[in-house]
Amino acid sequence: MAEETEPWVFSPKTLCELCLSTIVNVCKIDEFLKLKCFSDLPRNVTFDIYYQLYKGRRMCVLGMHLSNLETFSKMLTVTGRRVDLLECFQGLMDHRIRIGEELVIKYCLCCARLSENPAARKKMINLGLRLGGFLSDCGWYVESKRVLLECRQLCLENNTTPENWCQTLECCRRLLHAEAEYCAFEYATETQLLALEMVKRLKEAELDECNYAALYVEFSMVHSKKNEYDQAYRWSIEALKQLKPTLPARVIIDVLRQAAKSCVLKREFQKAGLLIRQALYLARQVFDRGHPVYSNVLIDYGYYLLNFDRTGDSITVYEKALHIRETIFGRTNLHIALAHEDLGYALYVHEYSSGKFDLASYHAGKAIDIMEKLLHGDHLLLASARRVQALIFEEVALDSETAPLVEQHLLFKAECLHMSALELARKAFGEKNVQTAKHYGNLGRLYQSMKKFEAAEEMHVRAIQIKEEILGPDDHEVGLSVGHLASLYNYHMNRYRDAEKLYYRSIAIGLKLFGRSYTSLEYDYRGLLHVYTKLDEHGKVAEYEYALNNWKVLRLNIQSEDPPIDLEKRPQPIGDVIDTFFSM
C-alpha cells in the first residue's frame, strides 16, 4: 500500500491580486499609469499597484511616480501600509534613485511659491509634518530636517493662535527627533528652546490638548545622546507623568522605552526592567513583528540586558532587531548600521574572556562601511562605530598568536581611532562629559597594552575624575575606570597597595549595584589574587580564591536558572504601569 501523503494546499490569488499582477506584468505600465482611470482609483488600490512595481523590481517606473510630491503625499495617507512604503522608498534609494532629495526639493519649492491662502498653508504644513516624520522613520535625517525646517518657517509666519502654537510645537518635536538622531546638538538646543516657548504659551492659555508626553520624550532623548544623564532622566519622568491610555500606542511605547533607557543610565534597573518589558509587550500586541517600532523596542531591550549583565540575551535580542531592520531597510541605511554597531559591541563584551572577536569585528566593520557611505568622515555616529572597532583591534592585537608586526599595526590603528573619537567627543560635548571620559578610559587601556604606562595612568585618572564629578563616586562607570587603573598598578607598575585599594572600591561598587554574581567581579578577584600572591599574604590569597570560586558557582546558577525571555506576555494597563513605577 502506498504511503499516504498530505494533499497539497493551495492559496489561490484573489481577483484583485490577479488584476494587479496582470497590470504590472502584462500591460504597458507606462501608458496605463498615464490614463485618467488610474488617477480615479482608490488610494489603497493605487498603492497596491506601486507595491507590485516594487516587488517586480520595476524601479525606474516606480521612482518616476513616487518622486512626484502630490503622488507621494497621497501614499503617505494610506493606512496600514507604512512598512510597505518604507520598503519602497529604501528600495529606490538603494537603486540610486534619489527620491528623498527629489521630494525635499519639490516640497521646498512649493513652500516658496505658497500663496497667502490659509487653507493652502495649513495643507502644506500638514504635508511637511507627514513627510518629515516619514523621512525620519526611514533614517534619512538630513532630508527630514530640511523638510521640517521649511515647515517650521511656515508655522512661524502665522504663529498667533493656540492652534498655530500646537502646530509649531509638533513641528519642533519632529525636527528635534531628526536633529538628535543625527547628533546635530547645536541645532537641537535651538529647537528645544523654541518648543519650550510654545509650551509656555499653551499652558498660559490653559490649553491641554497638545501631546506633551511625545515632546518630553524627545527632550529626554537629546540629553541622553549628549550624556547628560540627570536631565535625560528628569524629562523622561515628565513624559511618564503625561501618559494617558488615550494616547497613540506608538507614543506610549516611545515614552516607556526612553524612560527605561534613562533609568539604565541612572542604574535603576528594576524600574528600567518594568518599563522596557511593558514597551515590548505593547509593541508586540499593536504592531507586526516585522514593524520598525518593534525593532526599536528590541534595540532598547538589548541595551537594558547588556547593561544588566545579561550579554547572551542581549545578543539574541539585537540579532532579531537587525533582522527586522534588514528586511525593511535593505542594504545602505543608517538604521542598519546602528543595529550592526550595537550587535558588534554586545558580541565584543560577551566574547571578552574568550578572545573570539571575528563576529564582533564583522558587525563593527559592517556598521563602519555603511556609515562611511552615508556620513561625513568626522561624524559623531561614525566615531562611535570606530571606537567599537578600535576596542576589537586592541584585543586581537594582544592575542598570543598575533605576529609582532601585526600587533604593532593593530595597536597603532586602534590609537588613531580612539584619538579621533576623543577629539570629536571633546568638540561635541566638551571636556566635562561622560562620553569624553569614556574615551580617556579607552586610551588608558590601549596605552597599557602598548606599555606606555605613565600615559595610561594619566588617561585613567582623568577618566575617573570626570566621571566622579558628573556621576558621583559610586556610579558603575566610575567602578569600571577604577578597576582599569587597579589593573595598571597591579600588573605593570608593581604598585600593589594602590591596586589593592582600588580593587576594593571597584568590588564595593559592583556589589552595591549588581550583586555577588556581577561579571566584572571576576577581574577584581583575580586582580586581588595576583596582588596578595606578590605580597606573600597567603591568608588573603585563600580568602579570594574562595570568593572567586563562589562567584563561579553563582554564575553557573544564573546561566542554568535564568528563564527564557517572555515575548508573548500581554501588556498591563498603562495606568497600572505608571502607578507601579512611581511606587518603587
Side-chain angles (χ1 to χ4, degrees):
M1 182 175 178
E3 183 179 345
E4 291 185 1
T5 58
E6 292 185 7
W8 286 97
V9 178
F10 293 98
S11 180
K13 290 184 177 181
T14 65
L15 180 60
C16 179
E17 289 173 331
L18 289 170
C19 290
L20 291 172
S21 179
T22 301
I23 290 170
V24 172
N25 297 322
V26 180
C27 296
K28 293 183 178 179
I29 191 67
D30 292 358
E31 296 179 6
F32 176 78
L33 295 177
K34 295 176 183 177
L35 295 176
K36 185 180 184 300
C37 63
F38 177 74
S39 60
D40 292 336
L41 290 173
R43 292 185 182 185
N44 61 321
V45 176
T46 306
F47 191 104
D48 285 335
I49 293 173
Y50 288 143
Y51 194 63
Q52 285 292 326
L53 287 172
Y54 164 71
K55 287 293 191 181
R57 309 306 295 170
R58 305 285 294 275
M59 293 301 190
C60 291
V61 177
L62 179 64
M64 179 181 66
H65 283 264
L66 289 188
S67 294
N68 181 287
L69 183 62
E70 183 179 357
T71 300
F72 196 84
S73 68
K74 292 177 182 178
M75 297 304 100
L76 283 171
T77 63
V78 179
T79 57
R81 305 300 297 272
R82 186 74 162 192
V83 174
D84 294 338
L85 190 56
L86 289 169
E87 286 183 31
C88 292
F89 184 93
Q90 185 59 42
L92 291 169
M93 295 293 280
D94 285 343
H95 202 68
R96 299 189 178 183
I97 296 173
R98 308 300 295 177
I99 180 175
E101 188 173 342
E102 286 283 331
L103 292 172
V104 170
I105 291 171
K106 289 172 182 177
Y107 180 78
C108 293
L109 286 173
C110 287
C111 290
R113 298 169 181 167
L114 193 63
S115 67
E116 294 298 322
N117 185 299
R121 179 178 295 274
K122 183 176 181 180
K123 180 180 178 182
M124 193 57 59
I125 289 173
N126 288 334
L127 173 56
L129 293 174
R130 288 197 302 272
L131 180 58
F134 175 84
L135 291 168
S136 186
D137 286 346
C138 285
W140 295 94
Y141 298 115
V142 172
E143 290 80 358
S144 173
K145 179 184 172 184
R146 288 172 61 190
V147 167
L148 291 168
L149 283 173
E150 288 291 332
C151 183
R152 186 179 70 178
Q153 186 59 36
L154 292 181
C155 292
L156 291 175
E157 286 173 1
N158 191 29
N159 198 34
T160 55
T161 68
E163 181 184 2
N164 299 140
W165 300 338
C166 277
Q167 272 191 328
T168 303
L169 191 63
E170 179 60 17
C171 186
C172 286
R173 181 186 74 81
R174 299 187 186 215
L175 179 58
L176 193 62
H177 182 82
E179 290 169 338
E181 290 286 5
Y182 201 69
C183 300
F185 298 126
E186 184 177 349
Y187 297 102
T189 300
E190 295 177 5
T191 304
Q192 185 171 348
L193 288 173
L194 177 58
L196 286 169
E197 182 185 337
M198 294 302 104
V199 170
K200 181 180 178 182
R201 290 187 190 181
L202 288 163
K203 289 189 173 181
E204 288 175 349
E206 299 183 351
L207 189 70
D208 296 325
E209 298 176 3
C210 289
N211 188 353
Y212 294 125
L215 177 68
Y216 294 160
V217 82
E218 300 300 343
F219 288 178
S220 176
M221 187 178 74
V222 170
H223 291 293
S224 174
K225 287 184 175 293
K226 292 167 68 176
N227 305 288
E228 297 169 351
Y229 296 170
D230 290 340
Q231 287 285 74
Y233 184 80
R234 181 173 78 85
W235 282 114
S236 69
I237 296 300
E238 290 299 320
L240 282 172
K241 291 176 180 178
Q242 297 291 328
L243 279 187
K244 303 172 186 175
T246 53
L247 288 172
R250 178 166 180 176
V251 172
I252 295 173
I253 290 167
D254 285 346
V255 171
L256 290 174
R257 67 188 186 91
Q258 177 58 30
K261 192 169 185 177
S262 298
C263 287
V264 170
L265 294 173
K266 297 290 287 182
R267 322 318 289 179
E268 294 185 359
F269 290 106
Q270 187 180 8
K271 291 181 177 180
L274 167 71
L275 297 178
I276 195 59
R277 285 188 172 87
Q278 291 303 314
L280 189 66
Y281 302 149
L282 183 57
R284 183 98 173 196
Q285 182 184 62
V286 175
F287 296 98
D288 184 85
R289 296 181 189 183
H291 198 282
V293 169
Y294 185 59
S295 76
N296 294 341
V297 181
L298 287 176
I299 290 288
D300 288 334
Y301 189 40
Y303 176 80
Y304 160 77
L305 292 170
L306 180 64
N307 281 271
F308 197 50
D309 202 27
R310 291 176 58 184
T311 55
D313 287 338
S314 75
I315 289 168
T316 301
V317 171
Y318 279 138
E319 286 174 339
K320 290 180 180 178
L322 175 60
H323 175 71
I324 293 170
R325 289 188 174 185
E326 285 180 327
T327 302
I328 300 169
F329 297 112
R331 302 185 302 271
T332 310
N333 185 280
L334 203 51
H335 289 314
I336 304 293
L338 293 172
H340 275 297
E341 180 189 342
D342 289 332
L343 179 54
Y345 183 71
L347 286 163
Y348 160 77
V349 173
H350 189 62
E351 300 295 349
Y352 186 78
S353 58
S354 73
K356 299 175 182 177
F357 296 108
D358 288 350
L359 196 54
S361 183
Y362 166 77
H363 286 290
K366 286 289 289 184
I368 292 170
D369 288 344
I370 295 170
M371 288 183 185
E372 285 180 341
K373 295 175 183 176
L374 301 174
L375 306 171
H376 54 80
D378 60 349
H379 197 281
L380 206 56
L381 289 174
L382 188 53
S384 176
R386 287 172 175 166
R387 177 189 70 90
V388 176
Q389 187 70 287
L391 293 171
I392 296 169
F393 282 162
E394 180 182 350
E395 295 306 318
V396 174
L398 298 178
D399 189 282
S400 59
E401 297 180 1
T402 303
L405 287 177
V406 175
E407 175 185 338
Q408 186 178 1
H409 176 65
L410 287 171
L411 291 175
F412 175 72
K413 287 176 67 176
E415 181 180 16
C416 292
L417 291 171
H418 280 318
M419 287 297 297
S420 172
L422 172 62
E423 289 308 309
L424 286 170
R426 292 173 66 177
K427 181 180 178 182
F429 306 124
E431 182 77 6
K432 299 296 178 65
N433 186 275
V434 175
Q435 192 62 43
T436 305
K438 287 181 179 181
H439 291 309
Y440 279 127
N442 290 333
L443 275 169
R445 293 176 63 194
L446 178 65
Y447 288 146
Q448 187 173 340
S449 300
M450 298 172 75
K451 299 180 172 51
K452 299 178 179 179
F453 302 133
E454 291 184 359
E457 181 185 16
E458 180 185 351
M459 294 296 104
H460 285 315
V461 169
R462 194 174 300 181
I464 292 170
Q465 290 172 342
I466 295 172
K467 289 180 180 181
E468 282 182 331
E469 184 175 341
I470 299 171
L471 304 172
D474 299 325
D475 189 82
H476 164 64
E477 284 291 338
V478 176
L480 289 177
S481 291
V482 166
H484 294 151
L485 182 57
S487 173
L488 173 67
Y489 288 160
N490 183 17
Y491 294 106
H492 299 293
M493 300 183 76
N494 301 326
R495 294 169 59 176
Y496 299 119
R497 290 303 180 191
D498 290 333
E500 178 190 32
K501 294 176 184 177
L502 293 172
Y503 280 129
Y504 281 146
R505 184 180 175 191
S506 178
I507 289 170
I509 293 172
L511 290 173
K512 178 181 178 181
L513 294 176
F514 303 107
R516 294 183 300 137
S517 61
Y518 177 44
T519 300
S520 291
L521 288 174
E522 177 185 10
Y523 306 109
D524 293 331
Y525 292 150
R526 290 190 185 280
L528 284 172
L529 281 173
H530 185 267
V531 165
Y532 291 128
T533 299
K534 289 293 184 180
L535 294 174
D536 292 325
E537 296 186 13
H538 303 296
K540 287 290 187 179
V541 170
E543 178 183 345
Y544 281 97
E545 281 179 343
Y546 176 81
L548 180 60
N549 289 330
N550 190 50
W551 174 87
K552 291 178 180 178
V553 171
L554 289 171
R555 293 298 298 177
L556 286 173
N557 289 337
I558 287 176
Q559 292 170 10
S560 61
E561 297 175 4
D562 197 25
I565 301 170
D566 182 4
L567 296 179
E568 301 294 341
K569 193 171 180 179
R570 296 179 64 84
Q572 299 175 27
I574 191 60
D576 293 349
V577 175
I578 301 305
D579 290 342
T580 302
F581 177 87
F582 285 109
S583 68
M584 286 180 172

